[in-house]
Amino acid sequence: GINGAYLGIICLYYVQDFINSTWMQRYQSNISENGLTLLWSTIVSIFTLGGLVGVSIGSTLSVKLGRRGTLLTNNCFSVMAALLMGLSAFAGSFELLIIGRLLCGINAGVALCVEPMYLGEIAPTALRGAMGMGTSIFLTVGIVSGQVMGLEEILGREEYWPFLLATTCIPAFLQLLFLPWFPESPRYLFIDRGNDEGCALKDIQAEKNNLVGFKARKPWELLADRSVRWQVITIILLNAAQQLNGVNAMYFYTQYVFQQSGIPTDKIPYATVGTGACECLTALTCGLLVECLGRKVLIAGGYILMSVCCILFTLTLALQHVSPVFPYLSVACVFAFVLSFGLGPGGVTNILTTELFTQTSRPAAFMIAGSVNWLSFFFIGLVFPFIVIGLQHYCFLVFFVVCSTVAIYILAAIPETKNKSFLEIQNEFQSSKKKTDVLPDEAEALLVSTSL
């Protein structure tokens, strides 16, 4: 379902031609430029609205249906979206395309909320980071596959764009085929449902004992709980930064940079595939390193490298015409920035959202984190064009401030979570902040148990 966000961008001109021709057939007149822009903006931005809706219902469904049950049910949105988008051209209805994009966004919102939670809960403590990177790895695989399928030799021609958008159903069918063979989250079964068959692992038992009498918390309850204030601040900051760090802006500049470096226009799509492949490769590398180096090193290091790339990219763009070497240095900065993002911020953010909270708080935490992430995605899509108009290539100085600020916060405020149980992480977070106020009952019970 994630592919839909990127396939819609690939089909820009074809979809706009479709809107023009459909409008002409209906009303025997050309659509105004403002009208075309409004419809295209709706098609693009409705995906973000769907994602926000998906996050809102995903956390609730994960408690009622379970993690695996929610992911299986979520595939209905993807299949319906693919059907509507695939049939939109044949039906002569851009309304179907808008609805399809909305459903595609809901599917993505639910998936990005529940999948990291599921992977984090079924994984052994020693492999939790590596398995948590699965979301980032396959997200980047989806981006690359969308870019590859959008090439002219495959489905990138005008007559094929409905089929291109309909390919979002492929991951759904694969998940419906294979996911039923996987177990439900043991933590969900044991702690939330009280099903202790084959689930009584030591750390799960300890967590359950300390959460007796507590039910899954609501987002507003989590926001009001001072005992987890710094965890909440952390996930809000990290998820906002994941969209506001400039990676989308870097992709925006790729075509210009590639043109300046002398790459022929008809070859630029292949170079763009290369950037997606780099991000995929670094996500895989991060999955291999996350249990060796730890979460803190990777995500802080990634933001530090991105800060450096922002400065260098600004300089190389400003000096494009000074020397023929600077366009090539700009290309190097693009790849370095994407590699830095994939190395840490792209994947470790979801892992930390899983690890910083215990079972009863985790669904609410993912709803808060996901809502911030999607709202930031919407905000940057809305504001970035104006930033570019006002600052041009100096816009990356704004992203430098974001990346450097987040790096400083991570180094100063976030403890390492590698090879620690959820209770140990909770206890360390509380101890590092040296709270002196009286803790709520749940947090106090956790601290007492872990100190024994």
Side-chain angles (χ1 to χ4, degrees):
I2 304 299
N3 283 357
Y6 301 94
L7 297 180
I9 297 173
I10 293 171
C11 294
L12 167 63
Y13 299 110
Y14 298 150
V15 172
Q16 288 186 343
D17 288 342
F18 163 66
I19 295 174
N20 270 322
S21 60
T22 302
W23 192 275
M24 175 63 74
Q25 291 174 3
R26 289 184 185 180
Y27 307 108
Q28 288 75 50
S29 64
N30 290 318
I31 187 172
S32 66
E33 184 176 346
N34 289 336
L36 179 61
T37 302
L38 176 62
L39 283 175
W40 172 249
S41 299
T42 301
I43 291 171
V44 173
S45 60
I46 200 72
F47 178 85
T48 308
L49 177 61
L52 188 60
V53 172
V55 166
S56 302
I57 65 176
S59 61
T60 302
L61 290 177
S62 69
V63 176
K64 295 184 179 298
L65 303 179
R67 302 354 180 195
R68 184 185 63 170
T70 301
L71 290 173
L72 288 170
T73 303
N74 187 41
N75 290 301
C76 296
F77 294 114
S78 182
V79 173
M80 287 189 294
L83 185 64
L84 291 174
M85 291 189 295
L87 293 176
S88 59
F90 302 101
S93 173
F94 48 77
E95 292 86 356
L96 292 181
L97 191 56
I98 294 173
I99 298 173
R101 289 277 295 172
L102 175 65
L103 294 175
C104 197
I106 294 174
N107 170 261
V110 173
L112 289 176
C113 173
V114 181
E115 184 184 333
M117 197 189 316
Y118 176 63
L119 293 176
E121 290 179 357
I122 66 173
T125 301
L127 297 176
R128 194 171 58 224
M131 289 191 65
M133 280 299 301
T135 301
S136 178
I137 291 171
F138 286 100
L139 176 59
T140 56
V141 168
I143 294 173
V144 174
S145 63
Q147 292 170 337
V148 171
M149 286 187 291
L151 294 175
E152 188 175 352
E153 292 82 355
I154 305 178
L155 294 175
R157 285 180 282 187
E158 184 171 6
E159 61 269 26
Y160 293 146
W161 72 261
F163 303 106
L164 182 61
L165 294 181
T167 57
T168 55
C169 68
I170 295 176
F173 286 130
L174 290 175
Q175 193 174 89
L176 288 170
L177 181 63
F178 292 108
L179 188 58
W181 301 96
F182 286 75
E184 179 55 272
S185 164
R187 292 180 178 276
Y188 170 77
L189 291 175
F190 190 48
I191 298 176
D192 290 301
R193 292 302 183 193
N195 182 352
D196 59 356
E197 295 182 8
C199 297
L201 301 174
K202 183 178 179 180
D203 59 330
I204 302 179
Q205 180 71 59
E207 190 173 345
K208 182 178 188 296
N209 290 340
N210 286 280
L211 295 175
V212 171
F214 293 97
K215 298 181 180 180
R217 306 172 74 179
K218 304 298 183 184
W220 50 89
E221 295 173 341
L222 201 62
L223 290 170
D225 187 353
R226 297 184 63 186
S227 70
V228 293
R229 177 179 56 190
W230 283 102
Q231 288 96 312
V232 173
I233 291 174
T234 297
I235 64 167
I236 289 175
L237 181 64
L238 293 183
N239 279 273
Q242 197 174 34
Q243 296 296 338
L244 304 179
N245 57 31
V247 68
N248 295 317
M250 192 64 73
Y251 276 114
F252 175 85
Y253 267 93
T254 52
Q255 182 163 349
Y256 167 77
V257 170
F258 291 151
Q259 284 177 338
Q260 291 294 106
S261 63
I263 298 176
T265 303
D266 60 331
K267 302 298 181 184
I268 288 178
Y270 302 95
T272 304
V273 171
T275 60
C278 282
E279 187 176 351
C280 183
L281 180 63
T282 51
L284 182 59
T285 303
C286 182
L288 298 175
L289 295 177
V290 69
E291 297 299 349
C292 301
L293 300 179
R295 288 61 153 153
K296 188 171 183 176
V297 171
L298 287 175
I299 191 169
Y303 275 116
I304 290 171
L305 291 174
M306 290 168 71
S307 301
V308 174
C309 289
C310 284
I311 295 295
L312 295 178
F313 192 57
T314 301
L315 291 175
T316 57
L317 287 178
L319 301 173
Q320 287 287 296
H321 303 293
V322 173
S323 169
V325 74
F326 283 108
Y328 297 100
L329 292 177
S330 296
V331 172
C333 287
V334 169
F335 281 93
F337 191 92
V338 172
L339 289 170
S340 302
F341 175 77
L343 187 62
V348 179
T349 301
N350 283 333
I351 298 175
L352 288 176
T353 305
T354 300
E355 293 182 332
L356 297 185
F357 297 89
T358 52
Q359 190 72 15
T360 56
S361 301
R362 194 170 295 119
F366 266 95
M367 182 175 178
I368 294 171
S371 298
V372 171
N373 201 303
W374 284 99
L375 286 172
S376 300
F377 183 28
F378 175 78
F379 174 79
I380 196 66
L382 184 68
V383 173
F384 178 67
F386 299 99
I387 296 177
V388 173
I389 293 173
L391 299 177
Q392 298 182 6
H393 51 268
Y394 293 104
C395 66
F396 284 92
L397 296 178
V398 176
F399 301 125
F400 164 76
V401 173
V402 173
C403 292
S404 57
T405 301
V406 174
I408 293 171
Y409 176 84
I410 292 169
L411 293 172
I414 301 180
E416 179 54 66
T417 60
K418 181 184 71 172
N419 292 332
K420 296 176 183 176
S421 70
F422 295 124
L423 288 178
E424 290 172 336
I425 296 169
Q426 182 89 346
N427 187 46
E428 184 171 347
F429 230 112
Q430 300 288 354
S431 299
S432 65
K433 301 309 170 189
K434 298 179 180 180
K435 292 184 178 293
T436 57
D437 52 314
V438 178
L439 300 174
D441 291 340
E442 179 186 353
E444 187 174 2
L446 290 175
L447 289 172
V448 170
S449 69
T450 51
S451 63
L452 294 176

PDB file of all heavy atoms in Angstrom, residues 15-34:
ATOM      1  N   VAL A  15      -1.852  11.507 -15.307  1.00  0.00           N
ATOM      2  CA  VAL A  15      -3.095  11.715 -14.558  1.00  0.00           C
ATOM      3  C   VAL A  15      -3.687  13.083 -14.875  1.00  0.00           C
ATOM      4  O   VAL A  15      -4.908  13.230 -15.011  1.00  0.00           O
ATOM      5  CB  VAL A  15      -2.851  11.563 -13.048  1.00  0.00           C
ATOM      6  CG1 VAL A  15      -4.084  11.970 -12.243  1.00  0.00           C
ATOM      7  CG2 VAL A  15      -2.465  10.127 -12.705  1.00  0.00           C
ATOM      8  N   GLN A  16      -2.843  14.092 -15.021  1.00  0.00           N
ATOM      9  CA  GLN A  16      -3.359  15.413 -15.377  1.00  0.00           C
ATOM     10  C   GLN A  16      -3.990  15.404 -16.769  1.00  0.00           C
ATOM     11  O   GLN A  16      -5.030  16.045 -16.981  1.00  0.00           O
ATOM     12  CB  GLN A  16      -2.230  16.441 -15.303  1.00  0.00           C
ATOM     13  CG  GLN A  16      -1.802  16.766 -13.877  1.00  0.00           C
ATOM     14  CD  GLN A  16      -0.789  17.887 -13.811  1.00  0.00           C
ATOM     15  OE1 GLN A  16      -0.153  18.238 -14.809  1.00  0.00           O
ATOM     16  NE2 GLN A  16      -0.623  18.479 -12.636  1.00  0.00           N
ATOM     17  N   ASP A  17      -3.409  14.675 -17.711  1.00  0.00           N
ATOM     18  CA  ASP A  17      -4.024  14.533 -19.035  1.00  0.00           C
ATOM     19  C   ASP A  17      -5.365  13.819 -18.931  1.00  0.00           C
ATOM     20  O   ASP A  17      -6.329  14.163 -19.633  1.00  0.00           O
ATOM     21  CB  ASP A  17      -3.097  13.764 -19.973  1.00  0.00           C
ATOM     22  CG  ASP A  17      -1.887  14.583 -20.396  1.00  0.00           C
ATOM     23  OD1 ASP A  17      -1.935  15.817 -20.256  1.00  0.00           O
ATOM     24  OD2 ASP A  17      -0.891  13.979 -20.844  1.00  0.00           O
ATOM     25  N   PHE A  18      -5.433  12.823 -18.057  1.00  0.00           N
ATOM     26  CA  PHE A  18      -6.682  12.090 -17.841  1.00  0.00           C
ATOM     27  C   PHE A  18      -7.760  13.015 -17.283  1.00  0.00           C
ATOM     28  O   PHE A  18      -8.924  12.980 -17.721  1.00  0.00           O
ATOM     29  CB  PHE A  18      -6.431  10.918 -16.889  1.00  0.00           C
ATOM     30  CG  PHE A  18      -7.668  10.342 -16.270  1.00  0.00           C
ATOM     31  CD1 PHE A  18      -8.619   9.698 -17.045  1.00  0.00           C
ATOM     32  CD2 PHE A  18      -7.884  10.448 -14.903  1.00  0.00           C
ATOM     33  CE1 PHE A  18      -9.770   9.164 -16.471  1.00  0.00           C
ATOM     34  CE2 PHE A  18      -9.029   9.926 -14.319  1.00  0.00           C
ATOM     35  CZ  PHE A  18      -9.973   9.280 -15.104  1.00  0.00           C
ATOM     36  N   ILE A  19      -7.396  13.869 -16.323  1.00  0.00           N
ATOM     37  CA  ILE A  19      -8.361  14.819 -15.765  1.00  0.00           C
ATOM     38  C   ILE A  19      -8.846  15.775 -16.847  1.00  0.00           C
ATOM     39  O   ILE A  19     -10.046  16.069 -16.953  1.00  0.00           O
ATOM     40  CB  ILE A  19      -7.727  15.590 -14.590  1.00  0.00           C
ATOM     41  CG1 ILE A  19      -7.413  14.645 -13.433  1.00  0.00           C
ATOM     42  CG2 ILE A  19      -8.654  16.711 -14.123  1.00  0.00           C
ATOM     43  CD1 ILE A  19      -6.647  15.316 -12.299  1.00  0.00           C
ATOM     44  N   ASN A  20      -7.931  16.270 -17.671  1.00  0.00           N
ATOM     45  CA  ASN A  20      -8.292  17.178 -18.762  1.00  0.00           C
ATOM     46  C   ASN A  20      -9.287  16.548 -19.720  1.00  0.00           C
ATOM     47  O   ASN A  20     -10.324  17.141 -20.067  1.00  0.00           O
ATOM     48  CB  ASN A  20      -7.032  17.593 -19.529  1.00  0.00           C
ATOM     49  CG  ASN A  20      -6.387  18.845 -18.948  1.00  0.00           C
ATOM     50  OD1 ASN A  20      -7.071  19.762 -18.519  1.00  0.00           O
ATOM     51  ND2 ASN A  20      -5.068  18.855 -18.926  1.00  0.00           N
ATOM     52  N   SER A  21      -8.982  15.323 -20.167  1.00  0.00           N
ATOM     53  CA  SER A  21      -9.841  14.660 -21.144  1.00  0.00           C
ATOM     54  C   SER A  21     -11.197  14.305 -20.541  1.00  0.00           C
ATOM     55  O   SER A  21     -12.242  14.422 -21.205  1.00  0.00           O
ATOM     56  CB  SER A  21      -9.160  13.399 -21.683  1.00  0.00           C
ATOM     57  OG  SER A  21      -8.895  12.478 -20.633  1.00  0.00           O
ATOM     58  N   THR A  22     -11.207  13.880 -19.278  1.00  0.00           N
ATOM     59  CA  THR A  22     -12.463  13.546 -18.609  1.00  0.00           C
ATOM     60  C   THR A  22     -13.343  14.784 -18.454  1.00  0.00           C
ATOM     61  O   THR A  22     -14.565  14.735 -18.677  1.00  0.00           O
ATOM     62  CB  THR A  22     -12.188  12.926 -17.223  1.00  0.00           C
ATOM     63  OG1 THR A  22     -11.380  11.766 -17.372  1.00  0.00           O
ATOM     64  CG2 THR A  22     -13.484  12.556 -16.529  1.00  0.00           C
ATOM     65  N   TRP A  23     -12.731  15.891 -18.094  1.00  0.00           N
ATOM     66  CA  TRP A  23     -13.481  17.142 -17.938  1.00  0.00           C
ATOM     67  C   TRP A  23     -14.075  17.577 -19.284  1.00  0.00           C
ATOM     68  O   TRP A  23     -15.229  18.027 -19.341  1.00  0.00           O
ATOM     69  CB  TRP A  23     -12.557  18.219 -17.388  1.00  0.00           C
ATOM     70  CG  TRP A  23     -13.275  19.459 -16.929  1.00  0.00           C
ATOM     71  CD1 TRP A  23     -13.645  20.524 -17.687  1.00  0.00           C
ATOM     72  CD2 TRP A  23     -13.727  19.733 -15.598  1.00  0.00           C
ATOM     73  NE1 TRP A  23     -14.285  21.466 -16.928  1.00  0.00           N
ATOM     74  CE2 TRP A  23     -14.349  21.014 -15.631  1.00  0.00           C
ATOM     75  CE3 TRP A  23     -13.644  19.055 -14.388  1.00  0.00           C
ATOM     76  CZ2 TRP A  23     -14.895  21.597 -14.489  1.00  0.00           C
ATOM     77  CZ3 TRP A  23     -14.193  19.650 -13.247  1.00  0.00           C
ATOM     78  CH2 TRP A  23     -14.800  20.897 -13.310  1.00  0.00           C
ATOM     79  N   MET A  24     -13.301  17.422 -20.344  1.00  0.00           N
ATOM     80  CA  MET A  24     -13.780  17.787 -21.673  1.00  0.00           C
ATOM     81  C   MET A  24     -14.969  16.930 -22.086  1.00  0.00           C
ATOM     82  O   MET A  24     -15.961  17.429 -22.642  1.00  0.00           O
ATOM     83  CB  MET A  24     -12.639  17.649 -22.682  1.00  0.00           C
ATOM     84  CG  MET A  24     -13.045  17.884 -24.127  1.00  0.00           C
ATOM     85  SD  MET A  24     -13.645  19.562 -24.449  1.00  0.00           S
ATOM     86  CE  MET A  24     -12.109  20.490 -24.403  1.00  0.00           C
ATOM     87  N   GLN A  25     -14.900  15.631 -21.829  1.00  0.00           N
ATOM     88  CA  GLN A  25     -15.997  14.733 -22.192  1.00  0.00           C
ATOM     89  C   GLN A  25     -17.273  15.056 -21.422  1.00  0.00           C
ATOM     90  O   GLN A  25     -18.372  14.936 -21.948  1.00  0.00           O
ATOM     91  CB  GLN A  25     -15.588  13.285 -21.930  1.00  0.00           C
ATOM     92  CG  GLN A  25     -14.506  12.767 -22.881  1.00  0.00           C
ATOM     93  CD  GLN A  25     -14.026  11.379 -22.505  1.00  0.00           C
ATOM     94  OE1 GLN A  25     -14.534  10.769 -21.569  1.00  0.00           O
ATOM     95  NE2 GLN A  25     -13.035  10.883 -23.220  1.00  0.00           N
ATOM     96  N   ARG A  26     -17.116  15.478 -20.186  1.00  0.00           N
ATOM     97  CA  ARG A  26     -18.297  15.749 -19.361  1.00  0.00           C
ATOM     98  C   ARG A  26     -18.926  17.101 -19.676  1.00  0.00           C
ATOM     99  O   ARG A  26     -20.151  17.219 -19.770  1.00  0.00           O
ATOM    100  CB  ARG A  26     -17.918  15.715 -17.869  1.00  0.00           C
ATOM    101  CG  ARG A  26     -17.595  14.349 -17.316  1.00  0.00           C
ATOM    102  CD  ARG A  26     -17.345  14.469 -15.814  1.00  0.00           C
ATOM    103  NE  ARG A  26     -16.919  13.213 -15.225  1.00  0.00           N
ATOM    104  CZ  ARG A  26     -16.635  13.064 -13.935  1.00  0.00           C
ATOM    105  NH1 ARG A  26     -16.726  14.105 -13.118  1.00  0.00           N
ATOM    106  NH2 ARG A  26     -16.255  11.901 -13.475  1.00  0.00           N
ATOM    107  N   TYR A  27     -18.080  18.121 -19.800  1.00  0.00           N
ATOM    108  CA  TYR A  27     -18.593  19.485 -19.854  1.00  0.00           C
ATOM    109  C   TYR A  27     -18.304  20.196 -21.176  1.00  0.00           C
ATOM    110  O   TYR A  27     -18.627  21.375 -21.329  1.00  0.00           O
ATOM    111  CB  TYR A  27     -18.011  20.303 -18.690  1.00  0.00           C
ATOM    112  CG  TYR A  27     -18.231  19.649 -17.349  1.00  0.00           C
ATOM    113  CD1 TYR A  27     -17.170  19.068 -16.650  1.00  0.00           C
ATOM    114  CD2 TYR A  27     -19.503  19.593 -16.773  1.00  0.00           C
ATOM    115  CE1 TYR A  27     -17.363  18.467 -15.409  1.00  0.00           C
ATOM    116  CE2 TYR A  27     -19.710  18.993 -15.545  1.00  0.00           C
ATOM    117  CZ  TYR A  27     -18.635  18.425 -14.866  1.00  0.00           C
ATOM    118  OH  TYR A  27     -18.834  17.824 -13.644  1.00  0.00           O
ATOM    119  N   GLN A  28     -17.664  19.506 -22.135  1.00  0.00           N
ATOM    120  CA  GLN A  28     -17.332  20.077 -23.448  1.00  0.00           C
ATOM    121  C   GLN A  28     -16.560  21.392 -23.351  1.00  0.00           C
ATOM    122  O   GLN A  28     -16.766  22.326 -24.115  1.00  0.00           O
ATOM    123  CB  GLN A  28     -18.608  20.300 -24.281  1.00  0.00           C
ATOM    124  CG  GLN A  28     -19.240  19.016 -24.791  1.00  0.00           C
ATOM    125  CD  GLN A  28     -19.977  18.262 -23.694  1.00  0.00           C
ATOM    126  OE1 GLN A  28     -20.779  18.853 -22.978  1.00  0.00           O
ATOM    127  NE2 GLN A  28     -19.705  16.973 -23.579  1.00  0.00           N
ATOM    128  N   SER A  29     -15.695  21.467 -22.369  1.00  0.00           N
ATOM    129  CA  SER A  29     -14.825  22.632 -22.215  1.00  0.00           C
ATOM    130  C   SER A  29     -13.569  22.215 -21.465  1.00  0.00           C
ATOM    131  O   SER A  29     -13.573  21.200 -20.760  1.00  0.00           O
ATOM    132  CB  SER A  29     -15.531  23.763 -21.452  1.00  0.00           C
ATOM    133  OG  SER A  29     -15.831  23.362 -20.129  1.00  0.00           O
ATOM    134  N   ASN A  30     -12.517  22.995 -21.636  1.00  0.00           N
ATOM    135  CA  ASN A  30     -11.269  22.682 -20.936  1.00  0.00           C
ATOM    136  C   ASN A  30     -11.356  23.113 -19.475  1.00  0.00           C
ATOM    137  O   ASN A  30     -11.959  24.147 -19.154  1.00  0.00           O
ATOM    138  CB  ASN A  30     -10.092  23.403 -21.601  1.00  0.00           C
ATOM    139  CG  ASN A  30      -9.773  22.809 -22.963  1.00  0.00           C
ATOM    140  OD1 ASN A  30      -9.771  21.592 -23.132  1.00  0.00           O
ATOM    141  ND2 ASN A  30      -9.496  23.669 -23.933  1.00  0.00           N
ATOM    142  N   ILE A  31     -10.759  22.328 -18.630  1.00  0.00           N
ATOM    143  CA  ILE A  31     -10.722  22.680 -17.214  1.00  0.00           C
ATOM    144  C   ILE A  31      -9.723  23.826 -17.022  1.00  0.00           C
ATOM    145  O   ILE A  31      -8.709  23.917 -17.729  1.00  0.00           O
ATOM    146  CB  ILE A  31     -10.316  21.454 -16.353  1.00  0.00           C
ATOM    147  CG1 ILE A  31     -10.448  21.784 -14.864  1.00  0.00           C
ATOM    148  CG2 ILE A  31      -8.915  20.989 -16.684  1.00  0.00           C
ATOM    149  CD1 ILE A  31     -10.251  20.576 -13.949  1.00  0.00           C
ATOM    150  N   SER A  32     -10.028  24.734 -16.118  1.00  0.00           N
ATOM    151  CA  SER A  32      -9.128  25.857 -15.860  1.00  0.00           C
ATOM    152  C   SER A  32      -7.833  25.359 -15.210  1.00  0.00           C
ATOM    153  O   SER A  32      -7.785  24.275 -14.622  1.00  0.00           O
ATOM    154  CB  SER A  32      -9.802  26.881 -14.949  1.00  0.00           C
ATOM    155  OG  SER A  32     -10.026  26.332 -13.664  1.00  0.00           O
ATOM    156  N   GLU A  33      -6.814  26.163 -15.324  1.00  0.00           N
ATOM    157  CA  GLU A  33      -5.533  25.781 -14.719  1.00  0.00           C
ATOM    158  C   GLU A  33      -5.650  25.656 -13.208  1.00  0.00           C
ATOM    159  O   GLU A  33      -5.088  24.726 -12.607  1.00  0.00           O
ATOM    160  CB  GLU A  33      -4.472  26.829 -15.077  1.00  0.00           C
ATOM    161  CG  GLU A  33      -3.080  26.465 -14.579  1.00  0.00           C
ATOM    162  CD  GLU A  33      -2.033  27.460 -15.020  1.00  0.00           C
ATOM    163  OE1 GLU A  33      -2.329  28.284 -15.923  1.00  0.00           O
ATOM    164  OE2 GLU A  33      -0.919  27.433 -14.470  1.00  0.00           O
ATOM    165  N   ASN A  34      -6.394  26.557 -12.595  1.00  0.00           N
ATOM    166  CA  ASN A  34      -6.594  26.487 -11.150  1.00  0.00           C
ATOM    167  C   ASN A  34      -7.390  25.247 -10.760  1.00  0.00           C
ATOM    168  O   ASN A  34      -7.112  24.598  -9.743  1.00  0.00           O
ATOM    169  CB  ASN A  34      -7.311  27.740 -10.641  1.00  0.00           C
ATOM    170  CG  ASN A  34      -6.428  28.968 -10.689  1.00  0.00           C
ATOM    171  OD1 ASN A  34      -5.202  28.855 -10.677  1.00  0.00           O
ATOM    172  ND2 ASN A  34      -7.045  30.143 -10.755  1.00  0.00           N
TER     173      ASN A  34
END
